[in-house]
Amino acid sequence: MSELDLAGHVVELVRRLAGPDAQAEVVVTRADLALTRFANSFIHQNVAESATAVRLRLHADGRTAAGSGSLVDPDGLAALVERTLAATRLAPTDPAWPGLTPSTPVPAGAPVDEATAAASPDERAARVRAFVDAVEGLEAAGYCRTAHRSAAFANSAGHSAVGRSAEAAMDGIARAGGADGVARHCADRLADLDGGALGARAAAKARAAADPVELPPGRYEVVLEPAAVADLLDNLAWYGFNGKRYAERQSFAEPGAAQFDPALTLVDDPLHASGLPYDLEGTPRRALTLVEAGTTAAVAHDRRSGAEAGTGSTGHGMPGGSTFGPLPHNVRLLPGDGPVEVAAGPLSAGVTGAVADPDTAALVAGMSRGLLVSDFWYTRVLDAKQLVVTGLTRNGVWLVEDGVPTRAVRDFRFTESYPRAMGPGRVLGLGRSPVRQPDRVDGFWWETPALRLASWNFTGGASG
Amino acid sequence: MTGFDAATAAVQAALDAGARYADARVMHRRYESMSARNGDIEELTQDESIGLGVRALVGSSWGFHAVPELSDAAARDAGRRAAAIATASARVPGPPIDLVPVEATVASWASGCKVDPLGVPLSDKGDLLVRATATMREHGADLAEGLYQIWDTAKWFVSSEGHRVDQRIRECGGGISATSIGDGETQRRSYPSYRGQYGTTGWELVTSLDLAAHAARIAEESRELLTAPECPSGETDLILGGEQLALQIHESVGHAIELDRILGWEAAFAGTSWLDLTRLGTLRYGSELMNVTIDPTIPGALGSFGFDDEGSPAVKRDAVREGRWVGVLAGRDSAAVAGLDYGGSVRADGWARLPMVRMTNVGLEPGPHTLDEIIAATDDGVLMDLNRSWSIDDKRLNFQFGCEVGWEVKKGRRGRMLRNPTYTGIGPTFWRSMDMLSSEIVPWGTPNCGKGQPGQTGHTGHPAAPARFRNVRVGVRA
C-alpha cells in the first residue's frame, strides 16, 4: 500500500468510527536513514533504519488529540484511530482549533536523486575512507549520512499531497596535537559530497590551529565561517522567527522594523533543495522572506499560530510545533554581491592554512585586527527576548592582523545578542559563496556564506 | 512472533551472515504527553512504536539495522543487513574489538509503579494542568505553561552469548512554569524544575508534586524578578540549590566520565573529555566532600533499570570517592579497549537507535549539613537555583550556567532576590572549591539528555543536594 493509500485509509477509518463531523489529518512517512560514523580514523558505528510512521491529528466535538505509531497493518491502524479518538473524547476543549487545510495545490518538490535514496553502506564508507586518507595521518572523526523519505498527507477536508526527499551530509574533523579543524557539507546528492576535499580542508585547518595562544576577553571584530553563521541562523529561527514565540511577545522580531544590517537578507526557502513540498498540516511550502535588506519581514506560522496572529499558516507546521512553535528550518543567508573575487568553490581541495577558501580570504583580507572563527558550540539562550546567547568557539580560532591570520587562538566563551551583533552598521562584509550546512536531522539545513561582523563579545577564555 | 522470537531470529541471521557476535532488542513503547498554556490544553499526543534493532560484530567492525516489523522474515533480514553494514565498516577498519565478559542471563525486571500513569483518565490529567496554568495566569504570569510526559517501555533482549532478558520500565513526570514579560526581557520561574521532575515510577510521582499548590508562588516570583536587582558581577561564595547542582553534575561530571568520550569516539560531535585514563584512581576531581556514584539501582530514579541494553546487570559503582576520580560509565567494548572489567552503562532511546554509553543515575552522596546551615555559615555570597541555561565546552571543562533566580546571602541570612544570575568556572577547580554539602538529597530526573548521531534522547537521574562553592565568578553579562 502506498503512503497516500495508507493516509487515505486512516482518514476513512476516522470517518467510519468518529462520524462525518470529525476532522482528521494524517501524515504517513516511510524513511530510510543511514549514518556511518568514524572516530580515531576508523568506522566505529554504522547504522541504518527503515521505519514507517503514521501521525493522526483528530478534532471532534471541540476537542483535539494527536496520535502516532509505527504499526501499519490493519490492526495497528485501527488501534491508532481508536486510541486517538478515545483521547479526543477525554481531552479538554480546544477553543483555538484552527481547522484543517483546505484542498490546495501543492508544488512539486525538488527532484530526488535515486542514487542517494538507495545509497549503500559501501558508498558511505568510501567517502569516509577518502576523508581519512586526506587527513594524511591526523586523527579523523565525523559522519557520512544519507536520508530518503517518502511521504503522503491526507485530511478529511479532501486535501492530499505526496512528496519524496533525499539528502546526504558529511561532517568531519581532523585532529592535530589537540587542535581540531572542521569541514561540513549538506547536499541533495551523495555524489556531490567529496570526502577527500572535506578531509583536506579539515586537516589544513587543524594543522593551522596548532599551538594556540590565549587572548584576553573583550570585543573583537570577527569573520565567521559558514559553520559558525549556521548557529546564528539556527538560534534566530528558534527564538526570533518562530511565530508562537512572536505571538507570546518572547521574540525580538518586529516586522517592518530595520532590525538588521541592510546587507542581510534571510529567506526560509524549503524548495531550494530536496525536501517535502508541504508541511505537517498539508500546507504547501514556499519561500518566506524573513529579513529583506535588513528589515524584518515575517515570522513563520503553522495553522494554530497563524490563526492567533491573524496571518494564516506560512507552511511551518511540524511535529511538536504546537509546544515549541513553528520554525523556519531551511534558512538561506543570501550572499553578498560586492566586488569580491571568488576564484574557486568553497570546498575545493588543495587548501593550506587557516583560511580554507577564497570567499573567506576576501573577508579576512579586509580586517586589520580581529578573529577568524570556524565554529560555535553549545550555544544557549540567556535572554530570549534580546536573544542573548552564550556559547563557545570550537574547531579553530585565529588572530587576524592586517588581513592575515597570524596565530591560532585558544577557544573563547562568548555572550552576545545575536540580532544586535547583526544589527544596522554591524555587518562589514558578506561572502559570495554560500555553503549548505547540515543540521542534526535531515530536512533541516542552513545555507550561508562567511560573514564579517564589527564586534563580538568574548567574555572569557575557555581555559578559565 | 514474540519479542524474544523476533530478537532470536535476528541474532541467528546475523550469525549466519558472518557475525561473530550479535544482539537484538525489541522495544514496544507507549508515550503520552500533554501540555497546557494559559489555562487551555495546548497539545495531547500519544505514540505507540514497536520495532527491532540488531547489532552485529563482523571481525572488528560493527553494524546496526532497525526495522519496525517483528515477522520472522523482517527480523532475519534485519540481522543480515546488520552484518552487511558491519562488513562495509571494514573498509575503514579499527583496532581489534573485544567485549568484557558478562554472564549470560535469563531474567525479567520491572520498575516500581503504584498508579499506572497511562491508566489515569486523560480528563484528570488535563484538569491538573489546566488548573495550575490558570492559577498562574490569575497571579500575573504572561505565559503559564504545564507539561507531563509518560513513557511505558517493554524490552526483550537476546544475545548470541545466551542472554534472554525482558524488562518493563514505566517513567513519568511533569512540571509547570510561569513567564513574565517586561520591557525587553523575560523572566521565568518553574516548579519543581526547568522541565519538571521525572522518575521510573507511576503517576504517584506527579501527584506528589502538587503542581497547583505552587502555581501562584512561581507566577508572583516571575513578576518580582522583572524588577529585582541584577546579580552582581564578580567572585563570591556560591550556594547552589539541588536542582541546579543536579545539572552541574550531569554536565561537568556525568558526561566527562563517559568512556566513549574519553576514548575519542564522540570527538566530532558531543566532544571528548578532559579526563585521561592514565590518571584513573589518582586524579583529584574535587574536594573530599565529593562522592559521586553511578547507581542504576536507585528505586524510582530516572536512570534506573535492571539490565542495560547489552544485558549487563545494574550495579552501583563509585565514580568519585572523597574527591578522587575512580570510575567511568562504560560499555562492554569501550571497557575492553580501556582495560577495564565492567560495562553496564549502555542504553538506546528506542528500537531504531544503537545502544551507546549513557549516564544512569550519576549523583552525589549526602553531606553533613542542611541548606539553612549552609546559608547561616555564609557571610557574603549568592544563592542560585533552578537552571535557566547551560553551556559547557567540548572537553567538559569550561561551563557557564544561568539560573532562574538568585538571592543575596549576607551575614548568614538570605536577602534580596536577584535576577539574571549566572556563574562560570572550570570543572575540577569548581568541584575542589566545594566546602559544604547538604544531606537533603533528591534524585532529579533529566529526560532530555542529547547525545549520539543519529540523535538520541537519554533519561538520566542525578541525586543532588544544595552545596556551597568558594570564590566563584558570577554575573557574566553581554
Side-chain angles (χ1 to χ4, degrees):
Chain A
M1 200 182 276
S2 72
E3 290 80 24
L4 187 58
D5 290 340
L6 277 173
H9 178 66
V10 175
V11 170
E12 184 53 37
L13 274 175
V14 170
R15 199 169 279 138
R16 204 181 308 153
L17 292 170
D21 293 335
Q23 300 178 53
E25 61 183 21
V26 182
V27 176
V28 177
T29 306
R30 285 201 166 113
D32 293 297
L33 312 174
L35 188 145
T36 301
R37 275 187 112 185
F38 56 107
N40 299 329
S41 299
F42 71 93
I43 294 175
H44 71 308
Q45 292 173 8
N46 204 347
V47 303
E49 164 194 350
S50 301
T52 303
V54 182
R55 181 185 186 278
L56 164 67
R57 185 164 68 164
L58 218 167
H59 182 78
D61 298 327
R63 301 163 195 272
T64 309
S68 56
S70 65
L71 298 172
V72 295
D73 59 11
D75 290 345
L77 294 176
L80 169 65
V81 172
E82 283 164 5
R83 77 169 179 270
T84 308
L85 184 56
T88 306
R89 286 176 179 140
L90 288 166
T93 56
D94 178 10
W97 169 248
L100 298 175
T101 304
S103 187
T104 315
V106 173
V112 168
D113 178 51
E114 300 298 340
T116 301
S120 71
D122 283 321
E123 291 172 275
R124 288 182 294 276
R127 280 162 180 80
V128 172
R129 177 80 268 165
F131 190 104
V132 170
D133 290 345
V135 304
E136 296 181 331
L138 302 187
E139 281 186 0
Y143 72 76
C144 176
R145 79 176 184 217
T146 53
H148 171 231
R149 291 180 190 271
S150 180
F153 174 91
N155 69 21
S156 55
H159 179 46
S160 66
V162 294
R164 290 176 66 211
S165 69
E167 184 187 295
M170 196 158 186
D171 179 345
I173 62 167
R175 321 197 78 201
D180 297 347
V182 67
R184 289 189 189 117
H185 192 197
C186 179
D188 288 352
R189 296 167 7 112
L190 180 62
D192 291 340
L193 295 183
D194 184 339
L198 290 165
R201 179 189 179 105
K205 294 184 73 69
R207 290 192 176 97
D211 194 21
V213 296
E214 189 129 13
L215 287 186
R219 290 197 163 271
Y220 289 84
E221 188 178 320
V222 290
V223 170
L224 306 178
E225 292 191 288
V229 183
D231 184 81
L232 271 62
L233 303 185
D234 191 351
N235 276 294
L236 287 169
W238 271 84
Y239 296 96
F241 302 115
N242 173 333
K244 181 168 186 263
R245 297 190 73 90
Y246 171 74
E248 291 169 346
R249 297 187 293 125
Q250 293 205 84
S251 162
F252 69 83
E254 296 175 28
Q259 296 185 288
F260 294 90
D261 190 274
L264 297 184
T265 294
L266 295 176
V267 181
D268 186 62
D269 197 354
L271 303 182
H272 174 68
S274 173
L276 298 179
Y278 56 90
D279 72 358
L280 190 73
E281 297 172 318
T283 304
R285 301 188 73 198
R286 56 181 170 78
L288 176 69
T289 300
L290 304 168
V291 175
E292 175 83 55
T295 297
T296 300
V299 297
H301 286 297
D302 56 17
R303 289 188 65 78
R304 197 175 282 270
S305 77
E308 194 170 336
T311 59
S313 172
T314 56
H316 288 86
M318 55 199 302
S322 58
T323 302
F324 57 74
L327 311 175
H329 52 270
N330 303 117
V331 178
R332 301 171 66 197
L333 171 54
L334 298 190
D337 56 2
V340 179
E341 290 185 13
V342 178
L347 292 170
S348 57
V351 173
T352 58
V355 179
D357 58 84
D359 202 41
T360 305
L363 295 179
V364 166
M367 195 157 60
S368 60
R369 191 172 192 276
L371 297 172
L372 170 63
V373 177
S374 277
D375 202 0
F376 286 148
W377 165 249
Y378 220 126
T379 54
R380 290 292 185 272
V381 173
L382 293 176
D383 182 89
K385 184 91 176 177
Q386 305 291 330
L387 196 47
V388 175
V389 175
T390 188
L392 297 126
T393 61
R394 191 177 177 187
N395 297 322
V397 183
W398 293 269
L399 175 65
V400 176
E401 295 172 298
D402 298 326
V404 177
T406 53
R407 287 303 304 263
V409 176
R410 286 189 188 279
D411 281 321
F412 274 110
R413 174 171 290 288
F414 67 86
T415 304
E416 182 59 86
S417 162
Y418 280 11
R420 185 175 64 193
M422 303 169 82
R426 302 272 184 146
V427 175
L428 303 182
L430 191 58
R432 293 178 61 184
S433 299
V435 182
R436 200 163 130 205
Q437 299 288 303
D439 201 285
R440 293 178 183 184
V441 294
D442 64 289
F444 279 51
W445 48 258
W446 318 96
E447 186 179 279
T448 176
L451 177 65
R452 181 178 159 202
L453 297 175
S455 177
W456 196 259
N457 186 29
F458 295 99
T459 48
S463 55
Chain B
M1 291 183 85
T2 67
F4 278 134
D5 290 343
T8 301
V11 166
Q12 189 56 52
L15 295 176
D16 293 344
R20 66 180 174 93
Y21 168 84
D23 59 33
R25 189 170 30 87
V26 170
M27 278 180 70
H28 176 196
R29 171 173 279 176
R30 290 185 295 163
Y31 170 77
E32 180 182 293
S33 74
M34 191 188 292
S35 61
R37 181 171 67 141
N38 296 344
D40 292 321
I41 294 302
E42 188 172 54
E43 182 161 42
L44 166 59
T45 298
Q46 296 178 321
D47 179 73
E48 181 171 16
S49 179
I50 304 174
L52 173 148
V54 54
R55 193 171 66 143
L57 182 59
V58 176
S60 286
S61 298
W62 286 108
F64 175 85
H65 196 263
V67 292
E69 298 174 55
L70 302 185
S71 68
D72 183 69
R76 289 184 184 282
D77 187 54
R80 282 190 291 271
R81 285 173 183 260
I85 291 170
T87 303
S89 299
R91 288 182 73 134
V92 193
I97 289 177
D98 294 317
L99 303 174
V100 294
V102 174
E103 187 177 346
T105 304
V106 177
S108 293
W109 187 85
S111 57
C113 176
K114 290 180 184 165
V115 180
D116 178 2
L118 292 176
V120 175
L122 281 167
S123 52
D124 290 0
K125 292 182 277 197
D127 287 349
L128 185 152
L129 296 181
V130 165
R131 193 167 66 249
T133 57
T135 301
M136 287 187 282
R137 282 287 278 181
E138 289 160 12
H139 285 79
D142 291 304
L143 183 59
E145 296 172 295
L147 167 76
Y148 75 75
Q149 297 181 89
I150 299 163
W151 300 264
D152 187 341
T153 305
K155 302 191 216 188
W156 296 265
F157 175 80
V158 170
S159 82
S160 58
E161 295 176 340
H163 286 89
R164 193 177 168 91
V165 176
D166 67 274
Q167 299 188 80
R168 171 109 183 256
I169 301 177
R170 285 188 271 202
E171 304 158 294
C172 71
I176 55 175
S177 69
T179 300
S180 290
I181 300 171
D183 184 17
E185 71 172 305
T186 58
Q187 294 293 341
R188 169 180 165 135
R189 289 290 280 130
S190 305
Y191 172 80
S193 80
Y194 179 68
R195 283 185 178 79
Q197 170 66 318
Y198 294 85
T200 49
T201 179
W203 189 251
E204 62 271 14
L205 169 65
V206 178
T207 304
S208 73
L209 296 173
D210 200 0
L211 298 176
H214 295 265
R217 174 183 61 82
I218 66 169
E220 287 159 4
E221 287 181 358
S222 73
R223 292 219 69 80
E224 192 180 346
L225 274 170
L226 287 174
T227 54
E230 282 269 346
C231 177
S233 184
E235 278 196 7
T236 190
D237 289 349
L238 173 67
I239 302 168
L240 292 182
E243 189 265 357
Q244 172 58 29
L245 195 60
L247 191 73
Q248 180 80 47
I249 295 165
H250 178 99
E251 301 290 355
S252 71
V253 181
H255 280 306
I257 63 171
E258 290 168 345
L259 187 52
D260 55 348
R261 295 179 64 110
I262 294 170
L263 295 174
W265 296 358
E266 289 289 321
F269 177 55
T272 58
S273 171
W274 65 280
L275 294 168
D276 172 357
L277 277 176
T278 63
R279 301 186 69 189
L280 181 63
T282 60
L283 177 79
R284 174 64 56 188
Y285 206 119
S287 73
E288 291 194 349
L289 273 175
M290 186 185 186
N291 293 295
V292 177
T293 59
I294 299 164
D295 188 1
T297 71
I298 300 171
L302 192 62
S304 295
F305 48 78
F307 298 84
D308 80 349
D309 285 342
E310 291 188 309
S312 300
V315 173
K316 179 180 179 180
R317 300 184 191 284
D318 282 346
V320 178
R321 179 57 51 193
E322 294 179 347
R324 207 159 36 86
W325 176 42
V326 295
V328 299
L329 295 150
R332 294 183 63 190
D333 56 353
S334 55
V337 169
L340 302 173
D341 63 358
Y342 59 88
S345 298
V346 165
R347 286 189 290 167
D349 82 348
W351 54 266
R353 292 291 177 266
L354 179 73
M356 62 189 305
V357 177
R358 298 296 261 164
M359 283 177 241
T360 63
N361 299 306
V362 177
L364 280 167
E365 292 185 346
H369 299 291
T370 65
L371 175 59
D372 287 343
E373 289 170 355
I374 294 172
I375 292 171
T378 302
D379 191 48
D380 187 6
V382 177
L383 165 63
M384 298 186 194
D385 203 10
L386 264 65
N387 183 261
R388 182 175 177 181
S389 71
W390 62 101
S391 175
I392 188 163
D393 73 25
D394 55 317
K395 289 187 169 56
R396 299 281 146 176
L397 270 172
N398 175 283
F399 60 79
Q400 179 172 315
F401 293 113
C403 291
E404 287 185 356
V405 63
W407 290 272
E408 282 181 343
V409 177
K410 297 283 187 192
K411 296 181 179 169
R413 300 176 69 90
R414 185 193 299 215
R416 297 183 299 173
M417 183 183 276
L418 302 172
R419 81 177 198 272
N420 301 332
T422 63
Y423 68 99
T424 188
I426 301 292
T429 307
F430 179 79
W431 284 107
R432 286 171 202 155
S433 77
M434 182 172 72
D435 73 337
M436 294 187 81
L437 175 63
S438 160
S439 61
E440 298 147 326
I441 293 280
V442 173
W444 292 99
T446 301
N448 62 319
C449 176
K451 190 179 171 186
Q453 295 173 305
Q456 300 194 35
T457 303
H459 294 183
T460 68
H462 304 290
R468 186 175 76 175
F469 301 83
R470 310 303 297 264
N471 302 320
V472 179
R473 186 182 173 204
V474 304
V476 178
R477 295 190 188 129

